[in-house]
């Protein structure tokens, strides 16, 4: 299931957007969350425990996002394979990714962060899809069926990826690796994705996200990952 519009985008289409947002409380800064000032991340590892990469050409590679004409620089290997798959499924099941509509960011050498998990870009282990549309501290950007799709993606990947919408300072555009280097689960999930890529009828675009069993599994994972 795909849609070209997020909840936030649709609300922007109304002339009375401000009144709608105030009335619903959606698309606003989450209660108790203030926008933090930029701080420089000077640790040798990002918040999720992966080593910071000092240059784009060191330990990264450029991945195609299947189904689009977009590419993204990510940590080479299992991390890149998994996050590129997240982007592909997001494109198919959440909202279409188009270069004209916003940025797709993987590895970044920008050490200025507002939330610790943003440092994961420094290790190439985070993916941001349209961060200007879904900024830090804002929740309620997606329709329920889009959230269902996001939850399904996370569950299919067995929890090796976490959604920024579940963090204490939410950022619904971000997905990041949530297991440490050397994770056996990450390796297993990656091998599954590689097998799906050469097996007809498997992988992105084949899921029934409304399957009750999948929804149950996704909800169970959400209860563990949500802040």
């Amino acid at each position: 299931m795909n849609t070209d519009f997020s909840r936030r985008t649709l609300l922007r289409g109304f002339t009375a957007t401000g009144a709608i947002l105030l009335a619903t409380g959606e698309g606003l800064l989450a209660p108790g969350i203030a926008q933090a000032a930029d701080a420089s991340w000077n640790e040798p590892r990002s918040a999720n425990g992966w080593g910071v990469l000092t240059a784009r050409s060191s330990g990264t590679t450029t991945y195609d996002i299947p189904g689009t004409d977009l590419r993204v620089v990510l940590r080479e290997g299992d991390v890149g394979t998994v996050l590129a798959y997240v982007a592909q499924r997001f494109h198919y099941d959440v909202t279409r990714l188009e270069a004209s509509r916003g940025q797709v960011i993987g590895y970044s050498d920008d050490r200025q962060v507002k939330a610790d998990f943003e440092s994961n870009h420094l290790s190439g282990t985070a993916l941001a899809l349209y961060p200007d549309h879904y900024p830090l501290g804002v929740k309620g950007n997606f329709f329920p069926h889009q959230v269902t799709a996001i939850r399904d993606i996370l569950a299919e990947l067995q929890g090796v990826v976490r959604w920024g919408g579940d963090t204490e300072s939410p950022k619904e555009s971000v997905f990041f690796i949530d297991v440490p280097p050397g994770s056996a689960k990450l390796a297993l999930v990656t091998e599954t994705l590689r097998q799906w890529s050469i097996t007809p009828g498997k992988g992105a675009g084949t899921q029934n996200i409304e399957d009750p069993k999948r929804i149950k599994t996704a909800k169970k994972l959400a209860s563990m990952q949500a802040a």
Side-chain angles (χ1 to χ4, degrees):
M1 182 182 296
N2 197 343
T3 179
D4 293 344
F5 300 96
S6 69
R7 189 175 192 279
R8 185 172 179 80
T9 301
L10 184 62
L11 288 177
R12 284 174 175 168
F14 291 97
T15 57
T17 298
I20 293 171
L21 291 176
L22 289 173
T24 63
E26 297 290 349
L28 299 175
L29 287 175
I33 299 296
Q35 287 281 21
D38 286 358
S40 181
W41 187 270
N42 296 313
E43 300 296 326
R45 294 183 179 275
S46 55
N48 60 356
W50 291 75
V52 168
L53 302 175
T54 56
R56 173 173 173 161
S57 60
S58 175
T60 66
T61 194
T62 302
Y63 288 82
D64 293 325
I65 301 175
T68 79
D69 58 359
L70 298 173
R71 310 182 80 195
V72 61
V73 177
L74 296 163
R75 193 181 192 95
E76 187 174 14
D78 293 350
V79 167
T81 298
V82 168
L83 291 179
Y85 182 80
V86 171
Q88 182 185 12
R89 280 216 55 196
F90 188 94
H91 173 70
Y92 288 157
D93 297 323
V94 181
T95 192
R96 192 162 61 208
L97 297 176
E98 297 174 334
S100 62
R101 294 180 59 205
Q103 295 175 301
V104 175
I105 300 172
Y107 169 74
S108 172
D109 61 1
D110 184 359
R111 289 181 174 267
Q112 299 302 306
V113 301
K114 289 188 171 78
D116 284 356
F117 66 83
E118 292 185 328
S119 69
N120 297 331
H121 288 286
L122 292 166
S123 61
T125 61
L127 173 72
L129 304 173
Y130 299 161
D132 291 340
H133 290 261
Y134 317 126
L136 181 69
V138 180
K139 298 193 72 171
N141 293 293
F142 295 105
F143 287 108
H145 73 272
Q146 291 176 304
V147 175
T148 297
I150 289 170
R151 296 293 182 197
D152 186 79
I153 296 168
L154 301 176
E156 185 174 66
L157 297 175
Q158 300 182 39
V160 302
V161 172
R162 191 178 181 195
W163 181 34
D166 285 335
T167 58
E168 185 176 358
S169 297
K171 190 174 183 179
E172 294 186 335
S173 55
V174 171
F175 298 85
F176 57 88
I177 298 297
D178 198 34
V179 291
S183 166
K185 181 183 285 188
L186 178 61
L188 179 63
V189 167
T190 305
E191 180 56 29
T192 298
L193 296 181
R194 289 176 178 143
Q195 290 301 315
W196 284 353
S197 69
I198 58 174
T199 305
K202 295 289 187 180
T206 67
Q207 296 84 355
N208 175 13
I209 64 173
E210 296 179 356
D211 183 333
K213 290 183 179 179
R214 294 180 73 96
I215 291 175
K216 182 178 180 180
T217 300
K219 286 183 176 180
K220 182 177 180 180
L221 177 64
S223 68
M224 294 186 289
Q225 288 190 326

